[in-house]
Amino acid sequence: NNAIYNNTIYSNNGFGVGLTGCFNIKIHRNNISSNKGYGLYLCVSENNNISENIVSLGEDGGIYLSRSINNSIIDNEINFNNEEGIYIGGNSNHNVIVGNNFGGNDKGLSIYNSNYSIIIDNNFSNNRIGVDLGYFGYSYGNLFYHNNFINNVRNAIDKRNTDIWYNSTSKEGNYWDDYNGTDSNRDGIGDIPYTIPGGDNIDKFPLMRPYEKMSSDAADNN
């Protein structure tokens, strides 16, 4: 039940902020940059809120989750980290990733051995890989929709085909800048699915134009 607000946390030899066995921590509006470890590290930590921070230039990466569940990562700027902007691994399940900007990272978001997270309303731009769901590890049931993938070297890699790239209720998926399909009825949804690079998984309802993300208050009520 602690709060870390409005700090500048930079150039540390290890992590910028490390949470181990921590619950109900709020990390808000900090500038966490140029640390040799991850900017923000969570291990066995639950129900924490990470919002409106700048997490950049991490030598290992931006934000790392291991064995950490039910955390919310909302409205952060996650830019120019050497590895992942966010790494979710080690059975870090049921996390919410909403409204973040991932720019200039090696990988915007990587998920390994972690399930049932919700990833919506994010912008992935100018990363080497926007989202990586590669060969390593096994994850399933992670839900992606209303994300924008723009000007990444590779927008996504999904070699497992066990995660979901659209909202089946609203019948809306993600915006992909390399989608070449048409929209014959002009409903804003592509006529044919977008195949996620790396495997056979698909976004059934690709958006024809970038999605304008909702406010964090609206996202909390989603």
Side-chain angles (χ1 to χ4, degrees):
N1 298 315
N2 297 296
I4 302 172
Y5 277 80
N6 296 330
N7 301 283
T8 299
I9 302 167
Y10 70 100
S11 297
N12 296 286
N13 286 331
F15 308 129
V17 177
L19 305 182
T20 302
C22 293
F23 304 87
N24 303 315
I25 306 296
K26 187 166 186 177
I27 300 174
H28 183 63
R29 291 189 177 176
N30 301 283
N31 188 339
I32 304 171
S33 65
S34 302
N35 298 288
K36 289 188 177 180
Y38 283 89
L40 179 56
Y41 175 91
L42 281 72
C43 182
V44 197
S45 295
E46 301 179 15
N47 299 314
N48 301 293
N49 182 281
I50 300 162
S51 62
E52 298 184 37
N53 302 281
I54 298 171
V55 185
S56 63
L57 299 170
E59 192 166 309
D60 285 347
I63 300 173
Y64 182 100
L65 278 67
S66 177
R67 292 178 289 163
S68 295
I69 65 172
N70 294 324
N71 298 286
S72 298
I73 303 176
I74 297 174
D75 291 342
N76 300 279
E77 297 288 334
I78 304 170
N79 302 321
F80 303 109
N81 295 285
N82 283 350
E83 298 294 335
E84 294 90 353
I86 297 179
Y87 173 92
I88 300 176
N91 295 310
S92 294
N93 304 323
H94 297 286
N95 294 290
V96 175
I97 315 296
V98 175
N100 303 282
N101 291 321
F102 297 82
N105 305 286
D106 183 65
K107 300 175 182 178
L109 170 66
S110 295
I111 301 178
Y112 300 112
N113 291 321
S114 298
N115 313 312
Y116 301 122
S117 286
I118 297 174
I119 301 96
I120 61 174
D121 296 1
N122 302 284
N123 293 315
F124 296 90
S125 61
N126 300 301
N127 305 283
R128 185 176 68 85
I129 300 172
V131 171
D132 183 18
L133 307 175
Y135 281 127
F136 302 105
Y138 182 75
S139 298
Y140 57 87
N142 297 293
L143 175 62
F144 297 81
Y145 68 95
H146 289 174
N147 301 289
N148 297 320
F149 292 86
I150 299 172
N151 202 36
N152 302 288
V153 176
R154 299 188 71 175
N155 281 329
I157 298 176
D158 183 358
K159 296 180 179 179
R160 298 191 297 256
N161 301 333
T162 52
D163 296 297
I164 304 163
W165 290 93
Y166 55 89
N167 185 320
S168 59
T169 301
S170 67
K171 296 186 178 180
E172 294 178 326
N174 306 276
Y175 173 76
W176 310 90
D177 68 349
D178 57 349
Y179 177 68
N180 295 318
T182 58
D183 179 15
S184 58
N185 63 357
R186 299 185 180 181
D187 65 351
I189 306 298
D191 295 328
I192 60 174
Y194 175 88
T195 300
I196 312 300
D200 299 323
N201 209 349
I202 60 172
D203 180 348
K204 282 189 178 180
F205 308 107
L207 305 179
M208 295 301 296
R209 59 187 63 86
Y211 185 79
E212 185 176 347
K213 69 182 180 181
M214 65 182 72
S215 69
S216 59
D217 289 341
D220 289 340
N221 294 323
N222 190 283

